[in-house]
Amino acid sequence: MSLLSDISWDDFEGLALLEKGPFFCPDGREAHVILAQQFTRERLDSLGELATCIRRISKTHDGMDFLQGVLSHKRAMLYFSQPSTRTFLSFCAACEILGMKLGEVRDTSMSSEFKGESQEDSVRSFSSYFDLIVMRSKIGGLAERMAWMLSNSERTVPIINAGSGKDQHPTQAVLDIYTLQRSFEKTGGIDGKRIVFVGDLLRGRTVRSLSFLLTQYRDVEQVFVAPDQLQIGEDIQQMLSAAGVKFSLSDDLRGELPNADAIYMTRIQDEWDEKGGDSAKIDISSFSLGLDELELMKQAAVIMHPLPRRTEIAPEVDHDSRAVYWRQMRNGMWVRAAMSATIFGKQDMVLEYGEMHGA
Ligand code: CP
């Protein structure tokens, strides 16, 4: 069994991402949620099944009463030092559905970080009061370091990475997989599909995490459509080559649409510009979807977006049945509830209730 308490930080930090994964799931299910690389296809299926079960149970008053009791003895801390709407609120809602009490720090100018406290000491303080820490930070790898630190402290509180730097957004990637599973339920599942990623692929952490998860599915082809300056990183291309995944780079969205099964749109991530306004100089006009582009797509295709969006999807597209991004966003709440229940070992209790009550 791979335990974070059995390895020094220096040794752990030096491991490849795939080697780090098992440390976050030491007994086969999530103890922390830190990296896309910790999820096997089997775990993705189990989380999807649990998310569906929670979603169905929640449809009745009795079901909601049951869910409210699942984690009513636990408290969650939401530590978001980067802006968020969906991830923050869906975690709030997920925790509330399971009966957890919530605390939050969203503005570090109002916490003791303003007085010079390190993130390590802040997280250690949270662990004194809370049973789960959900954290978003602009610092790549911070959640990983905090998970190691708490696993080597007297209070091993689970950490969920709600977005770290430009590198990882694992809970988004799992909800994206759940959305793809549901979208392709009647058309053979995710295997064999062609997924087209569009936009700022260099700095979008959701694409990086999802690209890895898709390698778990058979014969999935990945296409990366972006202006040259924002094309997917070499590290992802190397990861795909090593996994034997068919992929290609393109700057021709209209040319790729007719063969796409899923189009995953993303916005320009100009918060990462080295010099303010750098991204504004890039012509992104041909990397957006409007009514004309819909004409080119398969009828069975789906349009996804992690949101927030800017101009890359015209509002008129929202009315098309292939636009699933609002459903994708709501799926995040069910998947995050499933993860939280699993971290505390409550998955079987929920599934048994679901089976008994036809959910
Ligand atoms: N998709 C996503 O992470 O959205 P937020 O930044 O609003 O949380």
Side-chain angles (χ1 to χ4, degrees), residues 83-87 136 169 172 306-308:
S84 169
T85 296
R86 275 144 290 275
T87 313
R136 169 173 286 196
H169 198 344
Q172 176 74 44
L307 303 175

Side-chain angles (χ1 to χ4, degrees), residues 14-43:
L15 296 176
L17 290 173
L18 273 171
E19 294 171 319
K20 288 179 179 175
F23 283 88
F24 302 120
C25 305
D27 60 3
R29 64 179 166 77
E30 295 70 39
H32 303 275
V33 174
I34 306 294
L35 304 170
Q37 283 74 8
Q38 75 186 77
F39 291 99
T40 59
R41 180 169 178 164
E42 192 185 359
R43 288 302 311 139

Side-chain angles (χ1 to χ4, degrees), residues 85-355:
T85 296
R86 275 144 290 275
T87 313
F88 180 83
L89 290 175
S90 62
F91 266 115
C92 281
C95 291
E96 283 170 0
I97 286 168
L98 299 174
M100 295 178 89
K101 282 85 184 171
L102 294 170
E104 64 174 70
V105 167
R106 297 197 77 178
D107 177 359
T108 51
S109 73
M110 298 297 287
S111 81
S112 283
E113 276 185 46
F114 185 72
K115 295 183 267 184
E117 184 166 63
S118 65
Q119 283 106 356
E120 279 86 346
D121 285 358
S122 292
V123 169
R124 200 154 184 166
S125 304
F126 304 151
S127 75
S128 296
Y129 309 129
F130 293 92
D131 305 294
L132 170 68
I133 298 169
V134 182
M135 59 182 289
R136 169 173 286 196
S137 168
K138 67 176 182 197
I139 304 171
L142 184 65
E144 186 176 314
R145 191 148 54 88
M146 296 301 109
W148 180 88
M149 188 260 295
L150 288 184
S151 298
N152 285 278
S153 77
E154 283 158 23
R155 277 190 58 78
T156 304
V157 170
I159 299 267
I160 297 182
N161 179 2
S164 57
K166 287 177 265 184
D167 59 333
Q168 288 271 351
H169 198 344
T171 67
Q172 176 74 44
V174 176
L175 80 88
D176 291 340
I177 288 289
Y178 182 57
T179 302
L180 288 166
Q181 284 170 340
R182 292 185 69 193
S183 299
F184 297 141
E185 220 160 22
K186 295 192 179 119
T187 54
I190 298 175
D191 293 326
K193 297 294 189 292
R194 195 162 198 263
I195 314 294
V196 175
F197 294 101
V198 186
D200 187 344
L201 309 181
L202 182 66
R203 306 174 292 185
R205 56 195 174 195
T206 67
V207 170
R208 296 171 58 79
S209 290
L210 179 56
S211 175
F212 172 77
L213 291 190
L214 286 169
T215 65
Q216 311 255 3
Y217 294 84
R218 280 187 301 281
D219 302 324
V220 168
E221 186 178 344
Q222 300 189 31
V223 182
F224 299 95
V225 181
D228 286 349
Q229 304 94 314
L230 300 175
Q231 195 44 278
I232 194 78
E234 287 284 340
D235 60 337
I236 298 292
Q237 294 181 50
Q238 282 166 14
M239 177 275 292
L240 294 173
S241 297
V245 171
K246 189 171 174 196
F247 73 95
S248 55
L249 311 187
S250 166
D251 60 3
D252 178 12
L253 175 59
R254 290 176 69 88
E256 297 296 342
L257 287 176
N259 296 316
D261 295 302
I263 297 107
Y264 192 99
M265 301 297 292
T266 65
R267 73 178 166 89
I268 296 296
Q269 311 264 322
D270 49 13
E271 65 270 37
W272 298 109
D273 280 0
E274 280 171 23
K275 276 190 277 166
D278 273 359
S279 301
K281 296 177 196 143
I282 302 171
D283 180 8
I284 53 162
S285 53
S286 55
F287 299 91
S288 55
L289 285 183
L291 296 180
D292 288 348
E293 283 72 28
L294 290 183
E295 299 289 319
L296 301 172
M297 287 171 44
K298 290 182 192 176
Q299 271 315 311
V302 291
I303 304 165
M304 296 172 65
H305 195 311
L307 303 175
R309 72 170 153 188
R310 290 184 182 167
T311 55
E312 61 278 359
I313 301 182
E316 303 83 69
V317 173
D318 296 3
H319 305 295
D320 193 280
S321 61
R322 292 166 290 187
V324 298
Y325 31 91
W326 301 111
R327 196 181 319 151
Q328 176 187 359
M329 184 176 84
R330 192 164 162 80
N331 284 340
M333 179 174 73
W334 305 121
V335 165
R336 287 163 175 143
M339 282 178 184
S340 304
T342 302
I343 280 175
F344 292 109
K346 298 294 181 187
Q347 67 285 356
D348 292 341
M349 170 189 174
V350 174
L351 291 170
E352 278 161 26
Y353 180 95
E355 202 170 320

